[in-house]
Amino acid sequence: PKMKEDSCLQAALLCLGMLCYSHALSTGLLNQSRPSLHGHREKGKEGQVLHRSKRGWVWNQFFVIEEYTGPDPVLVGRLHSDIDSGDGNIKYILSGEGAGIIFVIDDKSGNIHATKTLDREERAQYTLTAQAVDRNTNRPLEPPSEFIVKVQDINDNPPEFLHENYHANVPERSNVGTSVIQVTASDADDPTYGNSAKLVYSILEGQPYFSVEAQTGIIRTALPNMDREAKEEYHVVIQAKDMGGHMGGLSGTTKVTITLTDVNDNPPKFPQSVYQMSVSEAAIPGEEVGRVKAKDPDIGENGLVAYSIIDGDGMDMFEITTDYETQEGVVKLKKTLDYETKKSYNLKVEAANVHIDPKFISNGPFKDTVTVKIAVEDADEPPMFLKPGYIFEVQENAASGTVVGKIHAKDPDAANSAIRYSIDRHTDLERYFVINAEDGNIKTIKALDREEIPWHNISVFAVEVQKQHQEAKVPVSIKVVDVNDNAPKFAAAYEAFVCENARSNQQFITISADDKDDSANGPRFIFSLPPEIIHNPNFTLRDNRDNTASVLVRREGFSRQKQDLYLLPIVISDGGLPPLSSTNTLTIRVCGCDSSGSLLSCSAEAFVLNAGLSTGALIAILACIVILLVIVVLFVTLKRQKKEPLIVFEEEDVRENIITYDDEGGGEEDTEAFDIATLQNPDGINGFIPRKDIKPEYQYMPRPGLRPAPNSVDVDDFINTRIQEADNDPTAPPYDSIQIYGYEGRGSVAGSLSSLESATTDSDLDYDYLQNWGPRFKKLADLYGSKDTFDDDS
């Protein structure tokens, strides 16, 4: 039915447009003439001839309905010039926007048609230019003129909302008419023509909770006291309809999701009136006992609950805190419990909202209370000492077995088990004490010395006899009381000095004393001389009554030659009961002093030297002796350095080694040892010793012709040549240096092959075995073998 109504509406509008167009043609709106240079007459109603000037064409706006879907092109209008006589000589030309594509013109009649369906929402108007020219010459007969073709709107666009879905929030229990959100729709049709773009809003879903304003699209609450806890989210459908909401209008819809936000309109409520809990008496303070929870349907800060204990006999023993993550009240132990003293406690716990909304104070009170009953459970407890710690006193040097003190512990349980005591030996490694396991009496095992250990800190265990795992530990401090058992002594190792020229009653040292005993048995100290020397002619003692004493000279004049050392016994008594005393010896040396009393020397030897020489003179003599010794040492050193270069060093010896043959010897071991003494200069034997204090200034060059050929096998010639060169060489040492190959090494099985000892005498050795030693010894075999052969032949 709706599509049928739209088709009828479009047909009616099309007919209306055609009628308007026909009326325009009949009234000359579309083809008006302009004043012509050649006027003509026009007969009036009464036959009067009227003269009017020819008008040029002035185009009004043409209209064409959008979305026309008829079978034939739509006639938009007609162009006609007054100079057109109808003979076809005038040609009409159309140009501009859409000319030839959308709009076409009959160049003879001037009729303009629209060949395509037009959409006003795509383009609302077109600007065209009309021109009349001579068909044969194309000469313009009329000046070009512009005109506008407007596309006439029809209601072909439904309203559209800006968003397909809207989301909005509104507090629960809001008053009726509270604004929630405004939705807006738009219509693409022409708002200036008809009611095609006039929109009206209405609510399709969401009643009776919400309403919408028809003209503005504002959604408001329509029901009072909407409760979030009952229903939190609502879905509302809003419709926008054009044509002012009348029949035949187009419409569009959108969805709006409205959420009720929470307000604190519900107080917390405990689900039960009494909570039962239990806790062991062995629990430590801070341990959790149990939890309570008050339910509040509100959320966020509106549902926050704080818990507190407001009454009960367990207010001092328990406390409650709030766990804001779980919204629970946590009951914790505050103090240590004792089942034997009290077996149960009652608490009155209150739960109250943290944040309260004044607008809903009438819904209160926003708190609730509950009773919490806590039962104390019995636990097997360890023994308990009557005191947290014990302090005893015992005199030092007390006999073994002296009672120090007694400790006591009991079993706090109802069974009241028997207790046994023991000392922690880690705290009494020297085993000074022992404890009676049954009654807890502590005694000494050996004597105590306050001056060594003034306090003994031990630990004592108490263990239940029936349950060995239950034990307790208590610290015991034992003070060793001082006894006057140490006599006073000198505070330091004093050594006094008195001048030979000391005056009578002159003080030369002040002494003090030290006592290892406690202050009660120590100072004040009393100083005195023994009775047998109280009338000592040399020194006297004065007690200063401040735990010090001064030693004074009784007579004038001392002599180191007669006596340089005095020993003065001094008696020191302490203030103990009974007092103790000791005799201490003070060593006094007699010293030489100058006139101001400054010490110079305290030895008798120094006194003898001082009789002839002063100290300055002795120092000067010693300095001279040291200087003389230094000069002598330097002189001897320089003299040795001058003579040393005149002696030829061993490294400078000129030595010649015998040239080795192509025979195999003992390797490196052949040169391990040589003796140069066997070839000393023969002149030295006769007592002739060449001078060694003159070093040659030039190098000796051996004379040519003296050196034998390298391939010579005559050892005698070789040695004699070297001896002659050494004797005639002024740069050589005064002895011959020839290396003796007297050691063939451990690696040769042939023994010694040296011919030095057999060079001047004949040997009876048989050298035939050299023929069997291979090519390396061929030359030796030929040498000795040929000689033997020659001797045999002769």
Side-chain angles (χ1 to χ4, degrees), residues 731-746:
T731 64
Y735 51 84
D736 296 328
S737 176
I738 297 178
Q739 186 168 356
I740 304 304
Y741 286 85
Y743 180 73
E744 292 297 337
R746 293 185 297 272

Side-chain angles (χ1 to χ4, degrees), residues 1-53:
K2 184 176 181 180
M3 296 179 60
K4 185 176 181 181
E5 292 176 0
D6 294 342
S7 300
C8 295
L9 179 61
Q10 292 179 0
L13 291 175
L14 181 61
C15 294
L16 180 61
M18 295 298 293
L19 290 175
C20 293
Y21 175 72
S22 301
H23 178 69
L25 290 177
S26 62
T27 55
L29 292 177
L30 297 180
N31 51 342
Q32 298 178 1
S33 60
R34 63 175 185 174
S36 177
L37 296 177
H38 306 282
H40 65 274
R41 294 183 178 181
E42 194 174 277
K43 187 179 289 185
K45 294 181 180 179
E46 298 177 354
Q48 184 180 1
V49 178
L50 299 177
H51 298 274
R52 64 183 178 88
S53 60

